[in-house]
Amino acid sequence: MSEFTVTGQWSARDGWQSFEKQIEAENENVAREHVLAEFGSKHGLKRTQVEIEGVDA
């Protein structure tokens, strides 16, 4: 498994907030899915409320 850095922004109460997360995953698509699932789980956000700008290895 590789480590990926996922960057983007999410919809908060007072506007869009930037984020950068380190995720260990098999590939870029799995890393994206883990980030979306984490935001949904921890913050109760829908996938449309999270914008992923980039995934770097």
Side-chain angles (χ1 to χ4, degrees):
M1 290 218 274
S2 302
E3 187 163 306
F4 294 92
T5 303
V6 182
T7 57
Q9 51 187 345
W10 61 282
S11 179
R13 290 183 181 172
D14 57 345
W16 289 90
Q17 298 289 322
S18 296
F19 71 86
E20 182 174 311
K21 295 217 174 262
Q22 302 290 328
I23 299 289
E24 193 168 305
E26 292 85 15
N27 58 46
E28 284 186 19
N29 291 333
V30 174
R32 286 176 185 269
E33 289 297 316
H34 280 301
V35 169
L36 292 172
E38 184 176 327
F39 272 104
S41 174
K42 290 187 177 178
H43 301 287
L45 297 173
K46 297 185 185 293
R47 290 172 179 250
T48 58
Q49 295 174 297
V50 180
E51 291 183 0
I52 296 177
E53 296 170 351
V55 179
D56 297 322

